[in-house]
Amino acid sequence: MSVDLLGFLGVVLVAYVVPGPDLLVVVRSATEHPAKGRAAALGAQGGLCVHMLAAAVGVSLIAARSPVVYTAIKLAGAAYLVWLGVRAVLAARRLRAGRDTARPIGASAAVEDASRSRWRSGFAQGFLTNVLNPKAALFFLSVLPQFVDGGGSTTRQIFLLGILDVLIGVAYWFALVAVAARLRALLDRPRVRHRWELTTGWLFIAIGFGVAAAA
């Protein structure tokens, strides 16, 4: 396979660095607990694997060419982001009303059960945010094919480049989780946590409406 790997790596890194729903989900999860942040990161990359498989077998192409299917996926993703935002805003209001002060970030009475719940919640949020993002599917249809060598197996090359994309993402997200997790001590302060919940909540809602309104 003869492809411009440096060019591909550059495009992938830019795609990860540019703020989007995945970044917000991973960062917010990491500030709750590093394990939840890593779970969200793995969930996001799991969603990316779904897009990669769909592109390899042609499902993404069918969805992209069908306005009804594309719009349905887009609206489902937008609704999910708005739902995450509403939950965060409501959490901020409960905190301000003094009904959530007994649950500082990272605290748990049943450590093992909380750990499992945290992992499931983080993974589900990362996975659904990514798999319901039609732009992630379009990346494999419009950007990735530019780096495929026409002389080889297209499907095999999509898999290889896609796997490389996923691995780069895992490394990037885990590094970001390590940085974001350092904010936990600051966010244990009720006033700071209230502002964080409110800000991230409205960001989710804004991004959700932005996704829904996008062409």
Side-chain angles (χ1 to χ4, degrees):
M1 180 174 67
S2 177
V3 297
D4 180 10
L5 280 179
L6 287 179
F8 177 73
L9 292 176
V11 169
V12 168
L13 288 174
V14 169
Y16 279 114
V17 172
V18 173
D22 288 348
L23 187 145
L24 186 55
V25 166
V26 171
V27 170
R28 190 174 189 281
S29 297
T31 57
E32 291 184 30
H33 196 281
K36 185 174 182 179
R38 288 189 289 270
L42 292 176
Q45 298 313 97
L48 206 61
C49 288
V50 172
H51 291 302
M52 176 179 65
L53 293 171
V57 301
V59 176
S60 289
L61 184 60
I62 295 173
R65 290 183 175 178
S66 172
V68 175
V69 174
Y70 180 84
T71 301
I73 295 174
K74 181 180 71 173
L75 292 179
Y80 182 68
L81 291 173
V82 171
W83 179 72
L84 289 178
V86 170
R87 286 184 60 192
V89 171
L90 291 177
R93 290 184 177 180
R94 287 195 302 270
L95 185 67
R96 187 172 187 177
R99 296 195 297 269
D100 211 16
T101 54
R103 294 179 56 200
I105 292 176
S108 173
V111 176
E112 186 174 350
D113 288 343
S115 178
R116 291 175 183 172
S117 175
R118 205 159 38 220
W119 200 95
R120 287 194 298 266
S121 174
F123 187 89
Q125 289 182 19
F127 181 81
L128 290 174
T129 298
N130 187 283
V131 83
L132 292 175
N133 183 1
K135 291 184 178 180
L138 291 178
F139 174 84
F140 282 93
L141 292 176
S142 59
V143 178
L144 190 146
Q146 299 179 30
F147 299 93
V148 172
D149 178 15
S153 169
T154 301
T155 300
R156 185 171 68 90
Q157 292 178 71
I158 287 177
F159 273 124
L160 290 176
L161 291 175
I163 290 172
L164 181 59
D165 184 351
V166 170
L167 293 177
I168 291 172
V170 170
Y172 173 75
W173 291 134
F174 274 35
L176 187 65
V177 166
V179 174
R182 295 181 178 275
L183 297 173
R184 291 180 65 217
L186 178 63
L187 293 175
D188 275 339
R189 302 176 185 176
R191 181 176 297 180
V192 176
R193 183 183 169 196
H194 168 261
R195 291 176 180 174
W196 171 254
E197 295 279 1
L198 201 60
T199 300
T200 55
W202 284 113
L203 279 175
F204 271 124
I205 292 172
I207 293 173
F209 279 108
V211 169

